[in-house]
Amino acid sequence: MPRPIKATINLDAFRHNLAVVRRHAPRAAVFAVIKADAYGHGVMRAAHALASAEGYALLEVDAAVRLREAGYGQRIALLEGVFGPRDLEVAAEHRLAIAIHSQEQVRMLEAAPADARFDVLLKINTGMNRLGFTSAEFAAVFDRLQQHPRVAQLTLMTHFANADDARGVNWQMECLERLASASALPRCLANSAAILRYPETHADWVRPGVMLYGCSPFADVSAATLGLQPVMTLASELIAVRELQPGERIGYGGAFEAARPTRVGIVACGYADGYPRHAPTGTPIVVGGQRTRTLGRVSMDMLCADLCAIPAAGVGTPVTLWGTGLSADEVAAAAGTVSYELLCALAPRVPVTEV
Ligand SMILES: *Cc1c(COP(=O)(O)O)cnc(C)c1O
């Protein structure tokens, strides 16, 4: 018998969540964001399930090439563009769309072979202040690229810093309008939060990520409320059960001390599987279909669950860490992080099955 942990990927949920994107942004083409191995779900698996998307967006060049070689004909965009001249050759050969966010990348493009033609996403910094051209740089770069013989197609792109919170997108949209209102070029602006909350950002292409995986981009709105279905379910089983007497502690550092007789289940899942080590006592977990809480510190291969209200639970009882029945958003919030981080951290040692 293998160790009981497994991740299950629900391919129908991918399709369902893409339909939610379409319902919100009916006129936009979709770049399905599948960076970071599709947020831990497996890039080829996600691409297959989301094959009705008009494009894919990621930043790993090798994965983009694998998609092309597997026969996907859609637009495939490199969100951070190329990291060196060799990537540019690969992009030309495989018809990858490339973000251009810096003067170095403009120079690389200009130095490409004369017969190379690129689909370029011109990245504008409207306030996120990571990548992209500032207001001061924009006009000159725009003119240079628009006329350049290596550029076959130009799309304007920006990224929102606060689409999920009270600051919103207006301040960045105003910046974009100041720079680009005169241009009729296609635009690609919205991440999941903007797709769900700001129709005025939808434009020509949208870039949903986390919502395709069935998680919420908002701290205060659940995925279920948004009509999203979890794609990944991380499940395991109890491999031991014990009874703590009052005053006894459990796990490293004795971080949980029993105040009364406490039945505890030991779950075959730890931080080496991708479960967050900083999840404190009280993090939600489902045992035998019933919601309970973790107790004490998460170890490398195990964690502990409170069985006081689940007398029927014993060795072999199924446990859901996150997914169907318990959103990764809730586990993440208890652990002081976001579901993105949990999904991406799924460890290679966890076997994955598809349903
Ligand atoms: C990751 C990413 C997205 C997707 O963001 P979500 O919040 O997961 O929807 C969109 N655009 C860019 C540039 C990204 O890096």
Side-chain angles (χ1 to χ4, degrees):
M1 280 278 278
R3 186 164 170 262
I5 192 166
K6 64 174 194 297
T8 305
I9 304 293
N10 181 340
L11 301 177
D12 276 339
F14 265 133
R15 291 184 271 267
H16 170 90
N17 296 331
L18 179 56
V20 176
V21 172
R22 301 248 189 238
R23 218 160 41 243
H24 283 270
R27 280 176 298 278
V30 174
F31 272 126
V33 178
I34 52 173
K35 62 190 176 188
D37 200 27
Y39 293 42
H41 293 64
V43 66
M44 298 312 285
R45 182 181 293 127
H48 180 69
L50 298 168
S52 67
E54 289 75 20
Y56 300 107
L58 70 175
L59 38 91
E60 299 84 357
V61 179
D62 56 339
V65 169
R66 270 187 287 140
L67 288 173
R68 208 41 110 214
E69 286 178 340
Y72 292 99
Q74 295 99 314
R75 211 169 169 202
I76 300 177
L78 298 176
L79 289 171
E80 293 183 353
V82 297
F83 300 94
R86 171 66 195 136
D87 289 344
L88 208 54
E89 285 174 41
V90 173
E93 181 185 350
H94 295 282
R95 293 178 296 108
L96 307 178
I98 51 172
I100 291 200
H101 65 75
S102 67
Q103 302 290 355
E104 291 73 21
Q105 289 181 331
V106 174
R107 284 193 285 275
M108 268 191 261
L109 175 101
E110 289 175 338
D115 60 343
R117 292 288 176 277
F118 295 96
D119 174 358
V120 172
L121 300 161
L122 175 56
K123 180 117 185 208
I124 310 171
N125 174 18
T126 55
M128 173 72 113
N129 291 323
R130 295 187 313 191
L131 302 181
F133 296 98
T134 60
S135 314
E137 298 169 304
F138 175 75
V141 172
F142 179 77
D143 287 344
R144 211 158 135 195
L145 289 179
Q146 210 182 16
Q147 298 165 11
H148 203 282
R150 305 289 175 282
V151 177
Q153 187 180 345
L154 200 53
T155 303
L156 300 181
M157 172 163 76
T158 197
H159 194 47
F160 297 117
N162 300 85
D164 59 330
D165 66 35
R167 200 170 175 218
V169 299
N170 284 352
W171 59 287
Q172 287 187 265
M173 288 298 280
E174 283 163 16
C175 176
L176 183 72
E177 289 313 329
R178 274 197 303 278
L179 294 179
S181 57
S183 159
L185 289 178
R187 296 178 177 195
C188 175
L189 315 175
N191 58 2
S192 296
I195 289 166
L196 292 164
R197 214 164 252 183
Y198 300 105
E200 69 272 25
T201 66
H202 292 169
D204 304 279
W205 286 79
V206 292
R207 301 189 305 272
V210 79
M211 69 182 290
L212 292 175
Y213 305 96
C215 288
S216 171
F218 308 116
D220 55 349
V221 186
S222 73
T225 302
L226 297 169
L228 301 169
Q229 294 176 357
V231 176
M232 179 196 296
T233 296
L234 180 62
S236 188
E237 293 178 5
L238 298 184
I239 55 170
V241 172
R242 62 187 57 263
E243 183 100 14
L244 298 181
Q245 296 311 311
E248 286 191 307
R249 295 164 179 244
I250 195 159
Y252 288 113
F256 173 78
E257 181 179 327
R260 59 190 71 81
T262 303
R263 225 170 142 250
V264 179
I266 312 302
V267 183
C269 176
Y271 60 79
D273 300 302
Y275 195 89
R277 182 180 173 280
H278 43 282
T281 291
T283 301
I285 186 168
V286 171
V287 178
Q290 245 178 282
R291 201 179 158 104
T292 179
R293 58 175 186 151
T294 65
L295 297 176
R297 264 189 216 158
V298 175
S299 334
M300 183 180 287
D301 312 306
M302 284 174 261
L303 56 82
C304 307
D306 187 345
L307 302 183
C308 288
I310 317 176
V315 170
T317 296
V319 175
T320 301
L321 287 312
W322 62 68
T324 301
L326 173 60
S327 174
D329 294 323
E330 281 189 74
V331 178
T337 184
V338 288
S339 53
Y340 301 71
E341 187 179 6
L342 304 194
L343 301 176
C344 291
L346 183 75
R349 81 174 186 184
V350 177
V352 178
T353 56
E354 295 174 4
V355 292

